[in-house]
mmCIF file with all atom_site columns, all heavy atoms in Angstrom:
data_model
loop_
_atom_site.group_PDB
_atom_site.id
_atom_site.type_symbol
_atom_site.label_atom_id
_atom_site.label_alt_id
_atom_site.label_comp_id
_atom_site.label_asym_id
_atom_site.label_entity_id
_atom_site.label_seq_id
_atom_site.pdbx_PDB_ins_code
_atom_site.Cartn_x
_atom_site.Cartn_y
_atom_site.Cartn_z
_atom_site.occupancy
_atom_site.B_iso_or_equiv
_atom_site.pdbx_formal_charge
_atom_site.auth_seq_id
_atom_site.auth_comp_id
_atom_site.auth_asym_id
_atom_site.auth_atom_id
_atom_site.pdbx_PDB_model_num
ATOM 1   N N   . LEU A 1 3   ? 3.719   -25.550 8.177   1.00 64.00 ? 7   LEU A N   1
ATOM 2   C CA  . LEU A 1 3   ? 3.750   -24.128 8.039   1.00 64.00 ? 7   LEU A CA  1
ATOM 3   C C   . LEU A 1 3   ? 2.827   -23.446 9.056   1.00 64.00 ? 7   LEU A C   1
ATOM 4   O O   . LEU A 1 3   ? 1.829   -24.067 9.451   1.00 64.00 ? 7   LEU A O   1
ATOM 5   C CB  . LEU A 1 3   ? 3.350   -23.696 6.644   1.00 64.00 ? 7   LEU A CB  1
ATOM 6   C CG  . LEU A 1 3   ? 4.063   -24.197 5.490   1.00 64.00 ? 7   LEU A CG  1
ATOM 7   C CD1 . LEU A 1 3   ? 3.441   -23.671 4.158   1.00 64.00 ? 7   LEU A CD1 1
ATOM 8   C CD2 . LEU A 1 3   ? 5.567   -23.758 5.601   1.00 64.00 ? 7   LEU A CD2 1
ATOM 9   N N   . THR A 1 5   ? 0.552   -20.041 9.239   1.00 81.00 ? 9   THR A N   1
ATOM 10  C CA  . THR A 1 5   ? 0.095   -18.919 8.491   1.00 81.00 ? 9   THR A CA  1
ATOM 11  C C   . THR A 1 5   ? -0.577  -17.907 9.495   1.00 81.00 ? 9   THR A C   1
ATOM 12  O O   . THR A 1 5   ? -1.366  -18.314 10.338  1.00 81.00 ? 9   THR A O   1
ATOM 13  C CB  . THR A 1 5   ? -1.010  -19.413 7.451   1.00 81.00 ? 9   THR A CB  1
ATOM 14  O OG1 . THR A 1 5   ? -0.362  -20.251 6.563   1.00 81.00 ? 9   THR A OG1 1
ATOM 15  C CG2 . THR A 1 5   ? -1.552  -18.145 6.629   1.00 81.00 ? 9   THR A CG2 1
ATOM 16  N N   . VAL A 1 24  ? -2.813  7.229   -5.486  1.00 93.00 ? 28  VAL A N   1
ATOM 17  C CA  . VAL A 1 24  ? -1.587  7.237   -4.757  1.00 93.00 ? 28  VAL A CA  1
ATOM 18  C C   . VAL A 1 24  ? -1.034  5.825   -4.545  1.00 93.00 ? 28  VAL A C   1
ATOM 19  O O   . VAL A 1 24  ? 0.183   5.652   -4.702  1.00 93.00 ? 28  VAL A O   1
ATOM 20  C CB  . VAL A 1 24  ? -1.759  7.935   -3.380  1.00 93.00 ? 28  VAL A CB  1
ATOM 21  C CG1 . VAL A 1 24  ? -0.535  7.843   -2.485  1.00 93.00 ? 28  VAL A CG1 1
ATOM 22  C CG2 . VAL A 1 24  ? -2.174  9.454   -3.569  1.00 93.00 ? 28  VAL A CG2 1
ATOM 23  N N   . ARG A 1 26  ? -1.758  3.364   -6.512  1.00 94.00 ? 30  ARG A N   1
ATOM 24  C CA  . ARG A 1 26  ? -1.408  2.718   -7.895  1.00 94.00 ? 30  ARG A CA  1
ATOM 25  C C   . ARG A 1 26  ? -0.067  3.187   -8.467  1.00 94.00 ? 30  ARG A C   1
ATOM 26  O O   . ARG A 1 26  ? 0.648   2.330   -8.998  1.00 94.00 ? 30  ARG A O   1
ATOM 27  C CB  . ARG A 1 26  ? -2.540  3.212   -8.736  1.00 94.00 ? 30  ARG A CB  1
ATOM 28  C CG  . ARG A 1 26  ? -2.450  2.678   -10.216 1.00 94.00 ? 30  ARG A CG  1
ATOM 29  C CD  . ARG A 1 26  ? -3.562  3.232   -11.042 1.00 94.00 ? 30  ARG A CD  1
ATOM 30  N NE  . ARG A 1 26  ? -3.563  2.531   -12.270 1.00 94.00 ? 30  ARG A NE  1
ATOM 31  C CZ  . ARG A 1 26  ? -4.697  2.251   -12.965 1.00 94.00 ? 30  ARG A CZ  1
ATOM 32  N NH1 . ARG A 1 26  ? -5.854  2.687   -12.540 1.00 94.00 ? 30  ARG A NH1 1
ATOM 33  N NH2 . ARG A 1 26  ? -4.639  1.526   -14.059 1.00 94.00 ? 30  ARG A NH2 1
ATOM 34  N N   . HIS A 1 30  ? 6.155   7.541   -7.160  1.00 83.00 ? 34  HIS A N   1
ATOM 35  C CA  . HIS A 1 30  ? 6.327   8.662   -6.250  1.00 83.00 ? 34  HIS A CA  1
ATOM 36  C C   . HIS A 1 30  ? 6.331   8.346   -4.766  1.00 83.00 ? 34  HIS A C   1
ATOM 37  O O   . HIS A 1 30  ? 6.511   9.148   -3.914  1.00 83.00 ? 34  HIS A O   1
ATOM 38  C CB  . HIS A 1 30  ? 5.203   9.774   -6.492  1.00 83.00 ? 34  HIS A CB  1
ATOM 39  C CG  . HIS A 1 30  ? 3.861   9.177   -6.146  1.00 83.00 ? 34  HIS A CG  1
ATOM 40  N ND1 . HIS A 1 30  ? 3.086   8.493   -7.098  1.00 83.00 ? 34  HIS A ND1 1
ATOM 41  C CD2 . HIS A 1 30  ? 3.151   9.186   -5.072  1.00 83.00 ? 34  HIS A CD2 1
ATOM 42  C CE1 . HIS A 1 30  ? 2.022   8.186   -6.598  1.00 83.00 ? 34  HIS A CE1 1
ATOM 43  N NE2 . HIS A 1 30  ? 1.970   8.524   -5.273  1.00 83.00 ? 34  HIS A NE2 1
ATOM 44  N N   . GLY A 1 36  ? 7.838   8.222   3.179   1.00 74.00 ? 40  GLY A N   1
ATOM 45  C CA  . GLY A 1 36  ? 8.944   8.231   4.195   1.00 74.00 ? 40  GLY A CA  1
ATOM 46  C C   . GLY A 1 36  ? 9.388   6.868   4.524   1.00 74.00 ? 40  GLY A C   1
ATOM 47  O O   . GLY A 1 36  ? 10.305  6.709   5.394   1.00 74.00 ? 40  GLY A O   1
ATOM 48  N N   . SER A 1 41  ? 11.429  2.534   -5.575  1.00 92.00 ? 45  SER A N   1
ATOM 49  C CA  . SER A 1 41  ? 10.365  1.812   -6.168  1.00 92.00 ? 45  SER A CA  1
ATOM 50  C C   . SER A 1 41  ? 10.390  1.903   -7.754  1.00 92.00 ? 45  SER A C   1
ATOM 51  O O   . SER A 1 41  ? 10.487  2.991   -8.197  1.00 92.00 ? 45  SER A O   1
ATOM 52  C CB  . SER A 1 41  ? 9.019   2.223   -5.666  1.00 92.00 ? 45  SER A CB  1
ATOM 53  O OG  . SER A 1 41  ? 7.973   1.437   -6.230  1.00 92.00 ? 45  SER A OG  1
ATOM 54  N N   . ASP A 1 48  ? 0.146   -2.235  -16.659 1.00 91.00 ? 52  ASP A N   1
ATOM 55  C CA  . ASP A 1 48  ? -0.417  -1.470  -15.652 1.00 91.00 ? 52  ASP A CA  1
ATOM 56  C C   . ASP A 1 48  ? -1.190  -2.245  -14.639 1.00 91.00 ? 52  ASP A C   1
ATOM 57  O O   . ASP A 1 48  ? -1.070  -1.941  -13.469 1.00 91.00 ? 52  ASP A O   1
ATOM 58  C CB  . ASP A 1 48  ? -1.374  -0.335  -16.308 1.00 91.00 ? 52  ASP A CB  1
ATOM 59  C CG  . ASP A 1 48  ? -1.794  0.689   -15.315 1.00 91.00 ? 52  ASP A CG  1
ATOM 60  O OD1 . ASP A 1 48  ? -0.943  1.081   -14.490 1.00 91.00 ? 52  ASP A OD1 1
ATOM 61  O OD2 . ASP A 1 48  ? -2.959  1.052   -15.308 1.00 91.00 ? 52  ASP A OD2 1
ATOM 62  N N   . LEU A 1 72  ? -3.891  -5.137  -10.064 1.00 98.00 ? 76  LEU A N   1
ATOM 63  C CA  . LEU A 1 72  ? -4.739  -4.033  -9.789  1.00 98.00 ? 76  LEU A CA  1
ATOM 64  C C   . LEU A 1 72  ? -6.177  -4.234  -10.324 1.00 98.00 ? 76  LEU A C   1
ATOM 65  O O   . LEU A 1 72  ? -6.306  -4.772  -11.514 1.00 98.00 ? 76  LEU A O   1
ATOM 66  C CB  . LEU A 1 72  ? -4.179  -2.766  -10.342 1.00 98.00 ? 76  LEU A CB  1
ATOM 67  C CG  . LEU A 1 72  ? -3.028  -2.157  -9.614  1.00 98.00 ? 76  LEU A CG  1
ATOM 68  C CD1 . LEU A 1 72  ? -1.716  -2.980  -9.708  1.00 98.00 ? 76  LEU A CD1 1
ATOM 69  C CD2 . LEU A 1 72  ? -2.807  -0.690  -9.962  1.00 98.00 ? 76  LEU A CD2 1
ATOM 70  N N   . ILE A 1 79  ? -6.064  -3.613  -4.815  1.00 98.00 ? 83  ILE A N   1
ATOM 71  C CA  . ILE A 1 79  ? -4.751  -4.076  -5.246  1.00 98.00 ? 83  ILE A CA  1
ATOM 72  C C   . ILE A 1 79  ? -4.295  -5.291  -4.439  1.00 98.00 ? 83  ILE A C   1
ATOM 73  O O   . ILE A 1 79  ? -4.303  -5.215  -3.185  1.00 98.00 ? 83  ILE A O   1
ATOM 74  C CB  . ILE A 1 79  ? -3.651  -2.916  -5.175  1.00 98.00 ? 83  ILE A CB  1
ATOM 75  C CG1 . ILE A 1 79  ? -4.046  -1.645  -5.899  1.00 98.00 ? 83  ILE A CG1 1
ATOM 76  C CG2 . ILE A 1 79  ? -2.304  -3.391  -5.531  1.00 98.00 ? 83  ILE A CG2 1
ATOM 77  C CD1 . ILE A 1 79  ? -3.168  -0.475  -5.685  1.00 98.00 ? 83  ILE A CD1 1
ATOM 78  N N   . LEU A 1 80  ? -3.938  -6.352  -5.096  1.00 98.00 ? 84  LEU A N   1
ATOM 79  C CA  . LEU A 1 80  ? -3.414  -7.520  -4.491  1.00 98.00 ? 84  LEU A CA  1
ATOM 80  C C   . LEU A 1 80  ? -1.899  -7.549  -4.719  1.00 98.00 ? 84  LEU A C   1
ATOM 81  O O   . LEU A 1 80  ? -1.498  -7.131  -5.800  1.00 98.00 ? 84  LEU A O   1
ATOM 82  C CB  . LEU A 1 80  ? -4.076  -8.757  -4.975  1.00 98.00 ? 84  LEU A CB  1
ATOM 83  C CG  . LEU A 1 80  ? -5.556  -8.905  -4.781  1.00 98.00 ? 84  LEU A CG  1
ATOM 84  C CD1 . LEU A 1 80  ? -6.096  -10.158 -5.440  1.00 98.00 ? 84  LEU A CD1 1
ATOM 85  C CD2 . LEU A 1 80  ? -5.947  -8.858  -3.341  1.00 98.00 ? 84  LEU A CD2 1
ATOM 86  N N   . GLY A 1 95  ? -0.841  -9.912  0.355   1.00 97.00 ? 99  GLY A N   1
ATOM 87  C CA  . GLY A 1 95  ? -1.904  -9.108  0.989   1.00 97.00 ? 99  GLY A CA  1
ATOM 88  C C   . GLY A 1 95  ? -2.655  -8.267  -0.049  1.00 97.00 ? 99  GLY A C   1
ATOM 89  O O   . GLY A 1 95  ? -2.660  -8.589  -1.249  1.00 97.00 ? 99  GLY A O   1
ATOM 90  N N   . LEU A 1 109 ? -13.812 10.562  3.722   1.00 88.00 ? 113 LEU A N   1
ATOM 91  C CA  . LEU A 1 109 ? -14.350 10.304  2.378   1.00 88.00 ? 113 LEU A CA  1
ATOM 92  C C   . LEU A 1 109 ? -14.060 8.812   1.941   1.00 88.00 ? 113 LEU A C   1
ATOM 93  O O   . LEU A 1 109 ? -14.695 8.245   1.176   1.00 88.00 ? 113 LEU A O   1
ATOM 94  C CB  . LEU A 1 109 ? -13.941 11.247  1.344   1.00 88.00 ? 113 LEU A CB  1
ATOM 95  C CG  . LEU A 1 109 ? -14.295 12.763  1.553   1.00 88.00 ? 113 LEU A CG  1
ATOM 96  C CD1 . LEU A 1 109 ? -13.671 13.604  0.573   1.00 88.00 ? 113 LEU A CD1 1
ATOM 97  C CD2 . LEU A 1 109 ? -15.802 12.842  1.567   1.00 88.00 ? 113 LEU A CD2 1
ATOM 98  N N   . GLU A 1 117 ? -0.849  -11.409 4.810   1.00 95.00 ? 121 GLU A N   1
ATOM 99  C CA  . GLU A 1 117 ? -0.918  -12.806 5.134   1.00 95.00 ? 121 GLU A CA  1
ATOM 100 C C   . GLU A 1 117 ? 0.521   -13.343 4.852   1.00 95.00 ? 121 GLU A C   1
ATOM 101 O O   . GLU A 1 117 ? 1.117   -13.039 3.894   1.00 95.00 ? 121 GLU A O   1
ATOM 102 C CB  . GLU A 1 117 ? -1.893  -13.562 4.348   1.00 95.00 ? 121 GLU A CB  1
ATOM 103 C CG  . GLU A 1 117 ? -2.023  -15.006 4.758   1.00 95.00 ? 121 GLU A CG  1
ATOM 104 C CD  . GLU A 1 117 ? -3.032  -15.781 3.965   1.00 95.00 ? 121 GLU A CD  1
ATOM 105 O OE1 . GLU A 1 117 ? -4.228  -15.699 4.310   1.00 95.00 ? 121 GLU A OE1 1
ATOM 106 O OE2 . GLU A 1 117 ? -2.704  -16.486 3.036   1.00 95.00 ? 121 GLU A OE2 1
ATOM 107 N N   . HIS A 1 132 ? 5.427   -10.890 12.906  1.00 87.00 ? 136 HIS A N   1
ATOM 108 C CA  . HIS A 1 132 ? 4.093   -10.396 13.067  1.00 87.00 ? 136 HIS A CA  1
ATOM 109 C C   . HIS A 1 132 ? 4.149   -8.963  13.574  1.00 87.00 ? 136 HIS A C   1
ATOM 110 O O   . HIS A 1 132 ? 3.492   -8.079  13.024  1.00 87.00 ? 136 HIS A O   1
ATOM 111 C CB  . HIS A 1 132 ? 3.320   -11.266 14.066  1.00 87.00 ? 136 HIS A CB  1
ATOM 112 C CG  . HIS A 1 132 ? 1.876   -10.873 14.121  1.00 87.00 ? 136 HIS A CG  1
ATOM 113 N ND1 . HIS A 1 132 ? 0.925   -11.265 13.149  1.00 87.00 ? 136 HIS A ND1 1
ATOM 114 C CD2 . HIS A 1 132 ? 1.179   -10.066 14.978  1.00 87.00 ? 136 HIS A CD2 1
ATOM 115 C CE1 . HIS A 1 132 ? -0.273  -10.751 13.517  1.00 87.00 ? 136 HIS A CE1 1
ATOM 116 N NE2 . HIS A 1 132 ? -0.068  -10.032 14.616  1.00 87.00 ? 136 HIS A NE2 1
ATOM 117 N N   . SER A 1 134 ? 6.550   -6.824  13.226  1.00 86.00 ? 138 SER A N   1
ATOM 118 C CA  . SER A 1 134 ? 7.160   -5.993  12.174  1.00 86.00 ? 138 SER A CA  1
ATOM 119 C C   . SER A 1 134 ? 6.130   -5.635  11.158  1.00 86.00 ? 138 SER A C   1
ATOM 120 O O   . SER A 1 134 ? 6.020   -4.536  10.714  1.00 86.00 ? 138 SER A O   1
ATOM 121 C CB  . SER A 1 134 ? 8.345   -6.728  11.573  1.00 86.00 ? 138 SER A CB  1
ATOM 122 O OG  . SER A 1 134 ? 9.359   -6.834  12.491  1.00 86.00 ? 138 SER A OG  1
ATOM 123 N N   . GLY A 1 139 ? 2.616   -2.011  8.556   1.00 91.00 ? 143 GLY A N   1
ATOM 124 C CA  . GLY A 1 139 ? 1.237   -1.737  8.040   1.00 91.00 ? 143 GLY A CA  1
ATOM 125 C C   . GLY A 1 139 ? 0.560   -0.484  8.583   1.00 91.00 ? 143 GLY A C   1
ATOM 126 O O   . GLY A 1 139 ? 0.002   0.325   7.834   1.00 91.00 ? 143 GLY A O   1
ATOM 127 N N   . LEU A 1 143 ? -0.273  2.970   6.345   1.00 94.00 ? 147 LEU A N   1
ATOM 128 C CA  . LEU A 1 143 ? -1.567  3.617   6.363   1.00 94.00 ? 147 LEU A CA  1
ATOM 129 C C   . LEU A 1 143 ? -1.423  5.020   6.766   1.00 94.00 ? 147 LEU A C   1
ATOM 130 O O   . LEU A 1 143 ? -2.129  5.917   6.182   1.00 94.00 ? 147 LEU A O   1
ATOM 131 C CB  . LEU A 1 143 ? -2.567  2.796   7.123   1.00 94.00 ? 147 LEU A CB  1
ATOM 132 C CG  . LEU A 1 143 ? -3.191  1.639   6.494   1.00 94.00 ? 147 LEU A CG  1
ATOM 133 C CD1 . LEU A 1 143 ? -4.047  0.818   7.464   1.00 94.00 ? 147 LEU A CD1 1
ATOM 134 C CD2 . LEU A 1 143 ? -3.984  2.080   5.329   1.00 94.00 ? 147 LEU A CD2 1
ATOM 135 N N   . LYS A 1 147 ? -2.470  8.181   4.491   1.00 94.00 ? 151 LYS A N   1
ATOM 136 C CA  . LYS A 1 147 ? -3.427  9.152   4.906   1.00 94.00 ? 151 LYS A CA  1
ATOM 137 C C   . LYS A 1 147 ? -2.888  10.586  4.784   1.00 94.00 ? 151 LYS A C   1
ATOM 138 O O   . LYS A 1 147 ? -3.467  11.472  4.223   1.00 94.00 ? 151 LYS A O   1
ATOM 139 C CB  . LYS A 1 147 ? -3.813  8.954   6.445   1.00 94.00 ? 151 LYS A CB  1
ATOM 140 C CG  . LYS A 1 147 ? -4.797  9.976   6.985   1.00 94.00 ? 151 LYS A CG  1
ATOM 141 C CD  . LYS A 1 147 ? -5.135  9.583   8.440   1.00 94.00 ? 151 LYS A CD  1
ATOM 142 C CE  . LYS A 1 147 ? -5.944  10.584  9.088   1.00 94.00 ? 151 LYS A CE  1
ATOM 143 N NZ  . LYS A 1 147 ? -7.277  10.705  8.651   1.00 94.00 ? 151 LYS A NZ  1
ATOM 144 N N   . SER A 1 149 ? -0.285  11.711  2.943   1.00 90.00 ? 153 SER A N   1
ATOM 145 C CA  . SER A 1 149 ? -0.066  12.061  1.573   1.00 90.00 ? 153 SER A CA  1
ATOM 146 C C   . SER A 1 149 ? -1.334  12.258  0.835   1.00 90.00 ? 153 SER A C   1
ATOM 147 O O   . SER A 1 149 ? -1.362  13.293  0.023   1.00 90.00 ? 153 SER A O   1
ATOM 148 C CB  . SER A 1 149 ? 0.743   10.899  0.900   1.00 90.00 ? 153 SER A CB  1
ATOM 149 O OG  . SER A 1 149 ? 2.035   10.755  1.536   1.00 90.00 ? 153 SER A OG  1
ATOM 150 N N   . SER A 1 155 ? -5.937  18.213  -0.736  1.00 88.00 ? 159 SER A N   1
ATOM 151 C CA  . SER A 1 155 ? -6.080  19.637  -0.320  1.00 88.00 ? 159 SER A CA  1
ATOM 152 C C   . SER A 1 155 ? -5.398  20.582  -1.302  1.00 88.00 ? 159 SER A C   1
ATOM 153 O O   . SER A 1 155 ? -6.018  21.618  -1.730  1.00 88.00 ? 159 SER A O   1
ATOM 154 C CB  . SER A 1 155 ? -5.484  19.858  1.109   1.00 88.00 ? 159 SER A CB  1
ATOM 155 O OG  . SER A 1 155 ? -5.584  21.178  1.467   1.00 88.00 ? 159 SER A OG  1
ATOM 156 N N   . ASP A 1 170 ? -7.314  11.472  -16.314 1.00 49.00 ? 174 ASP A N   1
ATOM 157 C CA  . ASP A 1 170 ? -6.587  12.245  -17.368 1.00 49.00 ? 174 ASP A CA  1
ATOM 158 C C   . ASP A 1 170 ? -5.906  13.483  -16.771 1.00 49.00 ? 174 ASP A C   1
ATOM 159 O O   . ASP A 1 170 ? -5.235  14.200  -17.451 1.00 49.00 ? 174 ASP A O   1
ATOM 160 C CB  . ASP A 1 170 ? -7.498  12.614  -18.549 1.00 49.00 ? 174 ASP A CB  1
ATOM 161 C CG  . ASP A 1 170 ? -8.627  13.587  -18.145 1.00 49.00 ? 174 ASP A CG  1
ATOM 162 O OD1 . ASP A 1 170 ? -8.563  14.213  -17.116 1.00 49.00 ? 174 ASP A OD1 1
ATOM 163 O OD2 . ASP A 1 170 ? -9.532  13.677  -18.929 1.00 49.00 ? 174 ASP A OD2 1
ATOM 164 N N   . PRO A 1 173 ? -8.667  19.392  -14.643 1.00 49.00 ? 177 PRO A N   1
ATOM 165 C CA  . PRO A 1 173 ? -9.605  19.876  -13.606 1.00 49.00 ? 177 PRO A CA  1
ATOM 166 C C   . PRO A 1 173 ? -11.053 19.601  -13.898 1.00 49.00 ? 177 PRO A C   1
ATOM 167 O O   . PRO A 1 173 ? -11.399 19.555  -15.115 1.00 49.00 ? 177 PRO A O   1
ATOM 168 C CB  . PRO A 1 173 ? -9.295  21.378  -13.645 1.00 49.00 ? 177 PRO A CB  1
ATOM 169 C CG  . PRO A 1 173 ? -7.971  21.599  -14.393 1.00 49.00 ? 177 PRO A CG  1
ATOM 170 C CD  . PRO A 1 173 ? -7.862  20.394  -15.270 1.00 49.00 ? 177 PRO A CD  1
ATOM 171 N N   . HIS A 1 175 ? -14.620 21.069  -13.399 1.00 49.00 ? 179 HIS A N   1
ATOM 172 C CA  . HIS A 1 175 ? -15.310 22.331  -13.190 1.00 49.00 ? 179 HIS A CA  1
ATOM 173 C C   . HIS A 1 175 ? -16.776 22.132  -12.851 1.00 49.00 ? 179 HIS A C   1
ATOM 174 O O   . HIS A 1 175 ? -17.310 21.093  -13.218 1.00 49.00 ? 179 HIS A O   1
ATOM 175 C CB  . HIS A 1 175 ? -15.194 23.248  -14.396 1.00 49.00 ? 179 HIS A CB  1
ATOM 176 C CG  . HIS A 1 175 ? -13.779 23.595  -14.674 1.00 49.00 ? 179 HIS A CG  1
ATOM 177 N ND1 . HIS A 1 175 ? -13.096 24.543  -14.053 1.00 49.00 ? 179 HIS A ND1 1
ATOM 178 C CD2 . HIS A 1 175 ? -12.897 23.081  -15.603 1.00 49.00 ? 179 HIS A CD2 1
ATOM 179 C CE1 . HIS A 1 175 ? -11.858 24.643  -14.577 1.00 49.00 ? 179 HIS A CE1 1
ATOM 180 N NE2 . HIS A 1 175 ? -11.667 23.779  -15.478 1.00 49.00 ? 179 HIS A NE2 1
#
Side-chain angles (χ1 to χ4, degrees):
L7 302 176
T9 301
V28 172
R30 180 181 194 148
H34 64 272
S45 178
D52 190 41
L76 284 72
I83 299 172
L84 300 176
L113 298 174
E121 183 177 278
H136 186 81
S138 295
L147 278 173
K151 177 180 175 71
S153 299
S159 178
D174 64 15
H179 298 279

